[in-house]
Amino acid sequence: MEYGTFLAKAAERAGVSLDVAETLTRATFEVLADRISGGEAQDLAEPLKSWLRTDEEIAKGYGAHSFVRRVADRAEVPRELTEAGIRAVLATLREAVGDQEFRDATAQLPREYDILLSTPAGPAGAG
C-alpha cells in the first residue's frame, strides 16, 4: 500500500483531515515502534517504509492508557481524537501488512490494548 493511500484510508476511518491523519500516523508509529520489539517493528515497517523503525530490540513496557497519552503528546491533539486516530491507523496498518503479520507483531501487547487494536466502526463520533 502506498503511503498516500494509507493516509487517505486512515483519515477516512478517523474522520479527520489528511494533515491530522499524517500527524496521528507518525505519532502512532513512533510510539508503537517503542512499545513492540525491534524485530516486529521492522517486519511491519517493510511494506510501508514508515516510521515504524527502532534501533532497540527490547520493547518498553507500558499500558494502553500510556500509549494513548504518548501519541496525544506527540501529535498534539485531544485525547478523544487520539484514541479514534490510533484505532484508524492500526486498522489501516492491519490492512496494509495483512492480518497474520499484524497479529504476530501485536501479540506481545497485553489484552488491555484490544480496544486500540479492534477495527473502528467509522469516523470519530459516528458510532
Side-chain angles (χ1 to χ4, degrees), residues 10-71:
E12 183 178 342
R13 283 183 168 124
V16 298
S17 70
L18 284 175
D19 287 343
V20 172
E22 183 169 28
T23 299
L24 285 166
T25 297
R26 176 187 292 265
T28 299
F29 283 6
E30 289 172 350
V31 176
L32 183 62
D34 196 39
R35 182 56 182 87
I36 63 177
S37 70
E40 292 298 345
Q42 291 298 335
D43 289 347
L44 286 177
E46 193 58 37
L48 295 176
K49 305 296 184 224
S50 68
W51 294 294
L52 268 173
R53 290 179 173 79
T54 182
D55 294 330
E56 305 235 359
E57 191 58 35
I58 307 297
K60 295 183 179 164
Y62 47 81
H65 292 292
S66 182
F67 187 96
V68 172
R69 182 182 45 76
R70 288 168 188 248
V71 172

Side-chain angles (χ1 to χ4, degrees), residues 2 18 21 40 51 69 73 77 83 90 97 99 114 116 121 123:
E2 291 186 14
L18 284 175
E40 292 298 345
W51 294 294
R69 182 182 45 76
D73 290 349
V77 297
E83 191 166 324
L90 294 177
V97 301
D99 196 52
D114 287 354
L116 299 176

Side-chain angles (χ1 to χ4, degrees), residues 84-98:
I86 291 168
R87 291 180 69 212
V89 168
L90 294 177
T92 306
L93 181 60
R94 179 189 301 256
E95 181 181 338
V97 301

